[in-house]
PDB file of all heavy atoms in Angstrom:
ATOM      1  N   VAL E   5       7.846  30.120  -5.594  1.00 98.00           N
ATOM      2  CA  VAL E   5       7.354  28.857  -6.000  1.00 98.00           C
ATOM      3  C   VAL E   5       8.535  27.959  -6.522  1.00 98.00           C
ATOM      4  O   VAL E   5       9.388  28.400  -7.332  1.00 98.00           O
ATOM      5  CB  VAL E   5       6.278  28.885  -7.185  1.00 98.00           C
ATOM      6  CG1 VAL E   5       6.024  27.503  -7.626  1.00 98.00           C
ATOM      7  CG2 VAL E   5       5.126  29.637  -6.727  1.00 98.00           C
ATOM      8  N   THR E   6       8.588  26.747  -5.990  1.00 98.00           N
ATOM      9  CA  THR E   6       9.600  25.819  -6.420  1.00 98.00           C
ATOM     10  C   THR E   6       8.966  24.694  -7.240  1.00 98.00           C
ATOM     11  O   THR E   6       7.762  24.462  -7.189  1.00 98.00           O
ATOM     12  CB  THR E   6      10.383  25.013  -5.260  1.00 98.00           C
ATOM     13  OG1 THR E   6       9.422  24.156  -4.620  1.00 98.00           O
ATOM     14  CG2 THR E   6      10.924  26.035  -4.267  1.00 98.00           C
ATOM     15  N   GLY E   7       9.692  24.157  -8.188  1.00 96.00           N
ATOM     16  CA  GLY E   7       9.087  23.211  -9.154  1.00 96.00           C
ATOM     17  C   GLY E   7       8.260  23.841 -10.273  1.00 96.00           C
ATOM     18  O   GLY E   7       7.328  23.292 -10.718  1.00 96.00           O
ATOM     19  N   GLY E   8       8.507  25.165 -10.410  1.00 94.00           N
ATOM     20  CA  GLY E   8       7.819  25.829 -11.371  1.00 94.00           C
ATOM     21  C   GLY E   8       7.719  25.404 -12.785  1.00 94.00           C
ATOM     22  O   GLY E   8       6.719  25.634 -13.420  1.00 94.00           O
ATOM     23  N   SER E   9       8.714  24.684 -13.267  1.00 93.00           N
ATOM     24  CA  SER E   9       8.716  24.171 -14.545  1.00 93.00           C
ATOM     25  C   SER E   9       8.177  22.772 -14.732  1.00 93.00           C
ATOM     26  O   SER E   9       8.043  22.215 -15.798  1.00 93.00           O
ATOM     27  CB  SER E   9      10.105  24.235 -15.195  1.00 93.00           C
ATOM     28  OG  SER E   9      11.027  23.451 -14.441  1.00 93.00           O
ATOM     29  N   GLY E  10       7.803  22.235 -13.618  1.00 94.00           N
ATOM     30  CA  GLY E  10       7.251  20.840 -13.472  1.00 94.00           C
ATOM     31  C   GLY E  10       5.753  20.892 -13.848  1.00 94.00           C
ATOM     32  O   GLY E  10       5.105  21.954 -14.018  1.00 94.00           O
ATOM     33  N   PHE E  11       5.114  19.720 -13.786  1.00 95.00           N
ATOM     34  CA  PHE E  11       3.680  19.624 -13.966  1.00 95.00           C
ATOM     35  C   PHE E  11       2.743  20.491 -13.020  1.00 95.00           C
ATOM     36  O   PHE E  11       1.988  21.199 -13.494  1.00 95.00           O
ATOM     37  CB  PHE E  11       3.290  18.116 -13.938  1.00 95.00           C
ATOM     38  CG  PHE E  11       1.813  17.913 -14.012  1.00 95.00           C
ATOM     39  CD1 PHE E  11       1.029  18.313 -15.250  1.00 95.00           C
ATOM     40  CD2 PHE E  11       1.029  17.307 -13.001  1.00 95.00           C
ATOM     41  CE1 PHE E  11      -0.337  18.096 -15.370  1.00 95.00           C
ATOM     42  CE2 PHE E  11      -0.348  17.107 -13.084  1.00 95.00           C
ATOM     43  CZ  PHE E  11      -0.947  17.576 -14.282  1.00 95.00           C
ATOM     44  N   VAL E  12       3.212  20.344 -11.791  1.00 96.00           N
ATOM     45  CA  VAL E  12       2.331  21.194 -10.764  1.00 96.00           C
ATOM     46  C   VAL E  12       2.642  22.626 -11.039  1.00 96.00           C
ATOM     47  O   VAL E  12       1.659  23.410 -11.064  1.00 96.00           O
ATOM     48  CB  VAL E  12       2.820  20.646  -9.442  1.00 96.00           C
ATOM     49  CG1 VAL E  12       1.974  21.639  -8.365  1.00 96.00           C
ATOM     50  CG2 VAL E  12       2.249  19.321  -9.082  1.00 96.00           C
ATOM     51  N   GLY E  13       3.865  23.023 -11.061  1.00 95.00           N
ATOM     52  CA  GLY E  13       4.192  24.503 -11.105  1.00 95.00           C
ATOM     53  C   GLY E  13       3.779  25.114 -12.356  1.00 95.00           C
ATOM     54  O   GLY E  13       3.276  26.235 -12.278  1.00 95.00           O
ATOM     55  N   GLN E  14       3.751  24.376 -13.598  1.00 95.00           N
ATOM     56  CA  GLN E  14       3.199  24.968 -14.779  1.00 95.00           C
ATOM     57  C   GLN E  14       1.762  25.310 -14.719  1.00 95.00           C
ATOM     58  O   GLN E  14       1.253  26.206 -15.467  1.00 95.00           O
ATOM     59  CB  GLN E  14       3.599  24.067 -15.976  1.00 95.00           C
ATOM     60  CG  GLN E  14       4.977  23.904 -16.344  1.00 95.00           C
ATOM     61  CD  GLN E  14       5.192  23.051 -17.572  1.00 95.00           C
ATOM     62  OE1 GLN E  14       4.693  23.320 -18.637  1.00 95.00           O
ATOM     63  NE2 GLN E  14       6.042  22.109 -17.370  1.00 95.00           N
ATOM     64  N   ASN E  15       1.057  24.555 -13.824  1.00 96.00           N
ATOM     65  CA  ASN E  15      -0.410  24.745 -13.729  1.00 96.00           C
ATOM     66  C   ASN E  15      -0.670  25.754 -12.609  1.00 96.00           C
ATOM     67  O   ASN E  15      -1.687  26.598 -12.706  1.00 96.00           O
ATOM     68  CB  ASN E  15      -1.100  23.461 -13.414  1.00 96.00           C
ATOM     69  CG  ASN E  15      -1.229  22.653 -14.735  1.00 96.00           C
ATOM     70  OD1 ASN E  15      -2.162  22.789 -15.483  1.00 96.00           O
ATOM     71  ND2 ASN E  15      -0.294  21.798 -14.922  1.00 96.00           N
ATOM     72  N   ILE E  16       0.027  25.862 -11.548  1.00 97.00           N
ATOM     73  CA  ILE E  16      -0.348  26.831 -10.425  1.00 97.00           C
ATOM     74  C   ILE E  16       0.116  28.123 -10.606  1.00 97.00           C
ATOM     75  O   ILE E  16      -0.416  29.053 -10.011  1.00 97.00           O
ATOM     76  CB  ILE E  16       0.124  26.186  -8.961  1.00 97.00           C
ATOM     77  CG1 ILE E  16       1.610  26.054  -8.977  1.00 97.00           C
ATOM     78  CG2 ILE E  16      -0.502  24.815  -8.699  1.00 97.00           C
ATOM     79  CD1 ILE E  16       2.111  25.743  -7.524  1.00 97.00           C
TER      80      ILE E  16
END
Side-chain angles (χ1 to χ4, degrees):
V5 173
T6 69
S9 62
F11 173 60
V12 173
Q14 288 183 58
N15 283 275
I16 64 170

